[in-house]
Amino acid sequence: FFFLRIRRPPRSTQSRSSAASDVYKRQLKDSSWGGGIELDILSRHYQVEICAVNIETADYLIFGQGNNFKKRIYLIYDGIHYDIVIRNIYEEMEKETDMTVFDTDDECALNGTVYIAMDLKNKKQYTNLGSFSIKCNECFKGLKGQTEALEHSKQTGHINFCLLYTSPSPRDS
């Protein structure tokens, strides 16, 4: 029996992954964050499977599967951020005893991570990039989804936006 939870590092410790290709590196802008391509690159680089579970759908992808890697890490994706899943006997234990790397055949870790995602989904703790509500903090125009926000930014040069919460209460960022 164990306790699974997610941990979001402070923003200052989150880093962008580097890609093998110099061309690809040049394509990433300072405002870009990694996604599936970077998870696949990191999986191969560190020779570990990376299982990313999407809160909105409770579906998961395992990057590096089929490469005979013996270890796996679990990430929870909320539509914007990936957070690492940690295991401990109980929540109050010292962080030094946290487990973040699991055997690939550890079904309890996989099932526990999917359970966390389903619980967070029920609490609406995710962002749908196609339908979220956002406001331009420069002209105060209301926008819907990432596409409208990007188009508004291209047309106006505005880059300062904030997410508008329509659920019961905002979640921690």
Side-chain angles (χ1 to χ4, degrees), residues 153-172:
S153 183
K154 284 179 190 176
Q155 290 176 355
T156 64
H158 297 169
I159 58 171
N160 187 1
F161 298 91
C162 70
L163 187 61
L164 300 175
Y165 292 94
T166 55
S167 10
S169 64
R171 63 186 170 90
D172 295 332

Side-chain angles (χ1 to χ4, degrees), residues 9 13 16 18 25 34 44 49 52 73 86 97 112 157 159 169:
T13 64
R16 295 177 183 87
S18 62
K25 286 181 194 177
R44 286 184 275 126
E49 289 183 0
I73 64 169
I86 62 171
T97 62
I159 58 171
S169 64

Side-chain angles (χ1 to χ4, degrees), residues 54-147:
N54 186 320
I55 293 172
E56 184 178 13
T57 63
D59 291 333
Y60 59 88
L61 293 171
I62 302 176
F63 298 90
Q65 195 171 31
N67 289 315
N68 294 319
F69 299 147
K70 304 294 183 216
K71 299 293 180 182
R72 181 183 294 162
I73 64 169
Y74 291 89
L75 303 175
I76 296 279
Y77 179 64
D78 69 3
I80 297 176
H81 297 103
Y82 290 91
D83 297 308
I84 193 158
V85 173
I86 62 171
R87 177 192 284 172
N88 216 319
I89 302 301
Y90 57 92
E91 190 171 10
E92 293 79 22
M93 287 189 74
E94 297 295 322
K95 288 184 178 169
E96 293 79 30
T97 62
D98 287 349
M99 178 186 288
T100 56
V101 181
F102 305 86
D103 291 332
T104 54
D105 61 355
D106 186 341
E107 290 297 316
C108 288
L110 175 60
N111 293 336
T113 303
V114 171
Y115 177 82
I116 289 171
M118 291 169 52
D119 183 53
L120 292 170
K121 177 181 180 174
N122 290 336
K123 295 175 181 174
K124 306 237 185 275
Q125 296 294 297
Y126 61 88
T127 300
N128 182 309
L129 293 178
S131 64
F132 69 96
S133 296
I134 193 168
K135 178 182 76 171
C136 176
N137 282 336
E138 296 179 46
C139 70
F140 307 106
K141 181 176 182 175
L143 304 161
K144 188 163 189 90
Q146 177 177 277
T147 304

